[in-house]
Amino acid sequence: MKEWKKNIRKVVPYVPGEQPKQQDIIKLNTNENPYPPSPSVYEAMKRIDPGRMRLYPDPSCRMLVNGLASYHGLDAGQIFVGVGSDDVLAMAFMTFFNSEKPILFPDITYSFYQVWADLLKIPFKTPALDEDFQIRAEDYYRENGGVIFPNPNAPTGIARPLDFIRDILDHNQDVIVVVDEAYIDFGGETALPLLKEYENLLVVRTYSKSRSMAGMRIGYAMGNPELIQALNDVKYSYNSYTMDQTALELGTAALLDENYFQSVLRKIIATRQEAAERLTQMGFRWLDSSANFIFAAHPSCDGGKLFQYLRDHGVYVRYFNSPRIDQYLRITIGTDEEMKRLYQVLESALYGNI
């Protein structure tokens, strides 16, 4: 081995959902919103001054921070923004998980958690979900260096109630607890009310799902000012200009049209309910989802083969070849037309074509 190769960091990277290049496919594999952003975003795009692109954006992101603070009824000092929630979560790992004790997150959850822990050499333990794929609060009573979990969880879509989060916080008052709320707008109870009671709580959100702006890469965290200041200190030590001017302006504009935002959520939730009913009719078992996807398996059809059949017929869903969930497909909720095509291909697969 050449000497310089010995100093290269070796990691197993996170594998995002496939982004196919071909046209005329049904893309239900990355939990993107099937509907466009608010019209207020398009209006803001028209007002953007191209001449400002020669200037660095505001490193404090005051426009977006103030907009989010007003929207959530918080102080600006309680908001941290970043390039998607992945950036925000990575900053949280760097900032708060520095103990020699292992951090805790579920064994079946967002797989980026383990990637960050490995990359940053953070010890970790992964308590197993129970037989119903639920996170057990008592598994997080042990000594640790921090706790992180999504609510609703991914890829299961299962949400736990506010009392569950309070239970975990009550048993972890000496470490930072991060609740990843990427999907909370589609169901479940937000942990935001608990910010008034627990100074060690950080709540993370994203524009990628409910706000229909995955392409803009906007995420944010909410917590007490001391946590937010610590995140900013790490950010300024790593990359001062994390968000571009366009993202700041369009992210702020997206908050202005609440009626449109709620109407899109209602559409997706209604389609999710219809999807659950259709999948049940086809014999699928599925987990009760509070997200913009359904995690489903068929007792008589191999998950991997079904995934490949769908893909071969132009319908992309997500498949995880991992213990306990290798028979499940994670199906993003699309438009009604997209879902009709999904049902057609599933029926073709189930009735003799696999």
Side-chain angles (χ1 to χ4, degrees):
M1 178 184 290
K2 294 182 179 180
E3 192 64 26
W4 57 266
K5 291 187 178 181
K6 297 178 182 178
N7 296 319
I8 296 176
R9 188 184 296 272
K10 306 295 193 302
V11 295
V12 178
Y14 170 74
V15 180
E18 186 175 359
Q19 296 289 348
K21 300 298 186 292
Q22 63 267 43
Q23 302 297 315
D24 301 322
I25 65 159
I26 305 299
K27 190 173 183 297
L28 306 175
N29 66 329
T30 50
N31 296 342
E32 293 145 325
N33 197 309
Y35 301 105
S38 162
S40 64
V41 173
Y42 292 94
E43 292 302 315
M45 289 177 67
K46 298 175 186 177
R47 296 192 299 268
I48 291 176
D49 178 7
R52 296 186 64 184
M53 297 302 109
R54 67 181 182 83
L55 303 174
Y56 284 114
D58 174 13
S60 70
C61 308
R62 281 172 292 183
M63 175 189 298
L64 182 56
V65 165
N66 289 340
L68 286 165
S70 177
Y71 182 82
H72 289 292
L74 300 172
D75 295 329
Q78 295 178 276
I79 305 288
F80 174 85
V81 299
V83 186
S85 61
D86 287 342
D87 179 47
V88 174
L89 290 165
M91 290 290 177
F93 270 67
M94 284 191 280
T95 305
F96 303 122
F97 298 157
N98 294 293
S99 168
E100 294 182 355
K101 301 172 185 177
I103 65 171
L104 304 178
F105 51 84
D107 66 331
I108 299 173
T109 193
Y110 186 30
S111 56
F112 224 146
Y113 298 159
Q114 182 170 336
V115 173
W116 286 317
D118 286 336
L119 176 66
L120 299 170
K121 301 188 184 303
I122 300 169
F124 65 92
K125 298 288 185 182
T126 55
L129 302 183
D130 68 16
E131 62 275 8
D132 297 319
F133 294 101
Q134 301 268 6
I135 302 173
R136 293 178 289 211
E138 57 268 27
D139 290 337
Y140 296 81
Y141 293 175
R142 70 182 85 173
E143 191 173 29
N144 64 75
V147 174
I148 181 169
F149 60 92
N151 194 48
N153 195 14
T156 66
I158 295 175
R160 301 309 310 272
L162 203 58
D163 286 346
F164 167 87
I165 298 173
R166 185 189 299 277
D167 189 6
I168 287 183
L169 285 161
D170 285 340
H171 286 87
N172 290 278
Q173 298 190 36
D174 296 328
V175 298
I176 303 301
V177 176
V178 180
V179 180
D180 182 354
E181 291 191 343
Y183 301 100
I184 197 64
D185 290 318
F186 302 104
E189 296 180 90
T190 178
L192 284 181
L194 300 181
L195 291 179
K196 298 176 182 178
E197 303 176 45
Y198 299 92
E199 63 182 8
N200 62 323
L201 170 63
L202 191 75
V203 179
V204 177
R205 296 240 186 130
T206 178
Y207 275 53
S208 296
K209 317 302 182 186
S210 57
R211 294 280 176 191
S212 309
M213 296 178 70
M216 288 306 303
R217 312 307 302 127
I218 302 172
Y220 59 104
M222 296 168 281
N224 86 64
E226 187 173 357
L227 297 187
I228 300 305
Q229 183 59 54
L231 283 168
N232 276 311
D233 288 346
V234 171
K235 166 192 167 179
Y236 292 137
S237 302
Y238 179 73
N239 180 4
S240 298
Y241 301 104
T242 56
M243 299 196 69
D244 66 59
Q245 186 63 35
T246 303
L248 293 175
E249 295 194 30
L250 301 189
T252 304
L255 302 171
L256 302 178
D257 193 346
E258 185 68 10
N259 288 336
Y260 179 86
F261 177 59
Q262 293 298 331
S263 70
V264 168
L265 295 180
R266 287 193 295 270
K267 285 182 187 177
I268 292 172
I269 292 169
T271 305
R272 184 183 69 200
Q273 179 59 38
E274 181 182 356
E277 294 170 1
R278 291 294 300 271
L279 291 171
T280 299
Q281 292 169 7
M282 285 186 269
F284 280 87
R285 63 178 184 271
W286 45 270
L287 304 183
D288 188 17
S289 176
S290 294
N292 67 333
F293 59 82
I294 289 180
F295 204 48
H298 200 280
S300 63
C301 190
D302 178 76
K305 292 181 179 178
L306 188 53
F307 162 77
Q308 190 60 51
Y309 184 89
L310 287 166
R311 191 178 186 278
D312 290 344
H313 288 77
V315 180
Y316 284 68
V317 298
R318 194 74 190 268
Y319 173 67
F320 300 91
N321 190 14
S322 302
R324 297 182 67 192
I325 60 172
D326 60 353
Q327 294 304 306
Y328 283 82
L329 302 178
R330 193 193 68 189
I331 303 168
T332 302
I333 301 302
T335 64
D336 290 340
E337 288 301 314
E338 288 172 331
M339 300 303 286
K340 286 178 183 177
R341 177 59 181 156
L342 167 73
Y343 307 143
Q344 290 170 356
V345 178
L346 284 176
E347 289 173 347
S348 174
L350 295 173
Y351 299 126
N353 287 305
I354 289 187

